[in-house]
Amino acid sequence: MNPSFANDSVNLEVLRRRAYNYRWAIHPPGVIPLTAADPDFPACPEVAEAIRKHLLEGYFPYGRPEGDNQFKQAVASWYTRRKNSPVAENLVLPVNSAAYGLFVCARMICTNPGDEVLIPDPVDFLFRKSVENAGGVAIPCKVNPDTAEFDFDSLSQKINARTKAIFICNPNNPLGRALSKEELNRIILFAQKHDLWVVSDEIWADIDFDKKCLSVFDSKLESYAKKLVVSGLSKNFALAGLRIGYIIASDEQTWQSLLTFSLHQTTAFGIPLISQIAGTAALNEGEYWLEAFLQHLNKMRDKTSAFIDSCEFLETRITECTYLAFPKLKLHEANSTKMVEKILELSNVALVPGGKEWFESQSEGHIRICFSTSEEILEEAFSRIKAVEHLLT
Ligand SMILES: Cc1ncc(COP(=O)(O)O)c(C=O)c1O
């Protein structure tokens, strides 16, 4: 067992003070939150060390609106060396989270009210929110829950003169599936045919147990000028609170346009230098930590699958990527929200319900379990649910 991911590394006293977004800090002490996808472990020590050095210099001036060069370089190198995606550092735009990255892309793309963006269903609620915030309309398109693939016949029927983009989530949150090379090429060619932007949210791409997930910029894939990547360091490096994200453009003109729409030059928006310094340390020095984290997660994934298999009320489901399981409820007229409320009330374990508000309509009838915690905490949560299983059906 790697000590970084042992139970003693989970400092509940700190998490109960700091971990918001449906996690430890918003629940009474007895509750175990397997909710928002945020690890219970401290980040790699290189991150704290880089921040400490920066703090000791004592200067906190305005940063570059275009982003810190070292961080841009670190992102470009991460894509080039780990993802077969030769990314130029000048085409990376650091932003204060992947969430904001999606908002910036949507703003750049939806320039006329009512512009439409195709989004997968199910997918994280940020897809719809980013499009609607930009004055656009999100058009959910069902994907196969086993493969996260679109049905291209029904996708074609959704195209009209207002359609501007297709957003993809690779790997998909909540499905835990990465898209195949063939599917990515189909999406790129479809976008080319209809002159659409392809926005690929790759924030989960490093949590890939079989190392199968491809970036939309992988050089094996069809090339196309209107590709954009949105990603960040919340999931792979446990840095959600530092709000570190980035967008990668295909060319200089698009990058300039993203910078304009980011509003960084107004100083009202932007990513703090301290976050970029932390991100640089994680990407340049934390790869060993990420590999150890993946090994731990792999074990937690097996535990979670075994738990799901053992539950009468859940359909079997194996996670291929992400640290999320998304089983379907086997019950008649299953309502995700009611089930999650019941589980919380009876067992003091908090989960995330499926349903339109969180993951679009097709996700209704599912529950989401985040397993990026210690073995002991996960076992305790699962045994609590097992103890009340007979009351849940
Ligand atoms: C698919 C997806 N995109 C974006 C985000 C947001 O990431 P960030 O913390 O960088 O805003 C999440 C967080 O859960 C996510 O699942």
Side-chain angles (χ1 to χ4, degrees):
M1 153 83 61
N2 185 313
S4 301
F5 306 103
N7 200 42
D8 317 352
S9 288
V10 179
N11 188 335
L12 290 182
E13 191 275 314
V14 174
L15 287 169
R16 285 194 177 112
R17 277 189 280 123
R18 286 195 200 162
Y20 281 84
N21 203 16
Y22 305 97
R23 300 189 67 251
W24 298 97
I26 66 131
H27 290 288
V31 172
I32 299 178
L34 307 180
T35 48
D38 195 4
D40 281 344
F41 305 104
C44 64
E46 288 76 4
V47 165
E49 182 53 24
I51 292 175
R52 196 181 67 86
K53 277 192 189 146
H54 180 75
L55 290 179
L56 287 177
E57 286 171 353
Y59 279 95
F60 305 99
Y62 290 108
R64 284 183 83 216
E66 299 86 356
D68 175 58
N69 271 338
Q70 286 183 0
F71 180 57
K72 284 156 70 91
Q73 226 168 50
V75 172
S77 159
W78 189 254
Y79 265 73
T80 307
R81 75 174 190 276
R82 277 185 61 109
K83 298 179 190 288
N84 190 39
S85 305
V87 163
E89 68 184 79
N90 62 315
L91 299 181
V92 176
L93 180 66
V95 289
N96 88 351
S97 67
Y100 187 61
L102 288 171
F103 276 59
V104 172
C105 291
R107 268 194 226 146
M108 183 188 81
I109 290 166
C110 299
T111 45
N112 304 304
D115 278 350
E116 294 183 4
V117 172
L118 307 175
I119 63 167
D121 173 7
V123 81
D124 190 82
F125 73 97
L126 283 169
F127 278 48
R128 174 179 290 280
K129 288 269 184 257
S130 58
V131 173
E132 291 176 351
N133 174 268
V137 180
I139 308 291
C141 304
K142 283 187 183 173
V143 296
N144 179 330
D146 292 323
T147 59
E149 292 182 353
F150 288 107
D151 168 353
F152 279 84
D153 288 338
S154 68
L155 209 57
S156 299
Q157 287 164 15
K158 309 226 171 181
I159 295 280
N160 61 51
R162 292 182 303 276
T163 316
K164 292 289 153 53
I166 179 163
F167 279 24
I168 58 175
C169 189
N170 191 30
N172 179 293
N173 167 14
L175 293 177
R177 291 287 181 279
L179 297 171
S180 65
K181 178 180 165 215
E182 293 68 35
E183 174 73 357
L184 285 165
N185 273 334
R186 268 196 295 269
I187 292 168
I188 296 164
L189 294 174
F190 177 83
Q192 200 162 30
K193 179 169 165 202
H194 299 287
D195 190 28
L196 309 179
W197 288 94
V198 181
V199 177
S200 178
D201 178 326
E202 298 180 1
I203 194 162
W204 282 104
D206 292 318
I207 312 297
D208 173 16
F209 298 103
D210 303 318
K211 305 243 183 314
K212 282 197 314 204
C213 183
L214 300 179
S215 166
V216 80
F217 282 131
D218 190 302
S219 52
K220 290 195 286 295
L221 297 179
E222 299 286 339
S223 58
Y224 179 47
K226 291 176 84 171
K227 291 180 190 177
L228 294 165
V229 159
V230 171
S231 193
L233 279 80
S234 297
K235 312 301 169 191
N236 48 2
F237 284 107
L239 297 174
L242 290 175
R243 310 309 291 131
I244 313 172
Y246 51 86
I247 311 173
I248 310 175
S250 294
D251 56 47
E252 185 69 31
Q253 195 188 343
T254 306
W255 183 89
Q256 280 295 344
S257 179
L258 289 166
L259 177 63
T260 306
F261 280 93
S262 73
L263 301 175
H264 286 184
Q265 289 147 311
T266 66
T267 70
F269 295 85
I271 167 170
L273 180 57
I274 202 161
S275 296
Q276 296 178 85
I277 280 171
T280 305
L283 294 173
N284 288 348
E285 301 166 54
E287 215 161 336
Y288 79 94
W289 183 93
L290 173 60
E291 292 309 322
F293 184 34
L294 276 171
Q295 270 184 22
H296 171 75
L297 289 172
N298 207 355
K299 210 165 154 198
M300 298 309 101
R301 172 175 75 142
D302 290 348
K303 281 212 168 292
T304 307
S305 297
F307 163 71
I308 292 170
D309 278 352
S310 77
C311 286
E312 284 291 319
F313 69 108
L314 296 176
E315 277 185 18
T316 300
R317 184 141 188 98
I318 309 275
T319 298
E320 290 174 2
C321 309
T322 76
Y323 32 79
L324 308 168
F326 196 59
K328 191 169 180 194
L329 300 169
K330 267 190 207 161
L331 313 171
H332 232 39
E333 293 186 43
N335 177 302
S336 312
T337 305
K338 282 198 182 130
M339 177 56 81
V340 161
E341 282 169 5
K342 214 163 160 186
I343 292 174
L344 178 61
E345 185 193 318
L346 295 174
S347 70
N348 266 345
V349 177
L351 303 171
V352 180
K356 185 167 177 204
E357 186 193 347
W358 295 107
F359 307 111
E360 298 300 319
S361 311
Q362 242 204 142
S363 67
E364 183 49 78
H366 294 70
I367 54 172
R368 201 188 73 171
I369 304 168
C370 174
F371 55 81
S372 58
T373 188
S374 72
E375 193 168 352
E376 285 80 349
I377 292 176
L378 209 55
E379 275 172 357
E380 168 65 20
F382 292 160
S383 74
R384 286 188 195 180
I385 298 175
K386 285 300 290 177
V388 298
E389 188 184 355
H390 62 288
L391 301 171
L392 296 172
T393 53

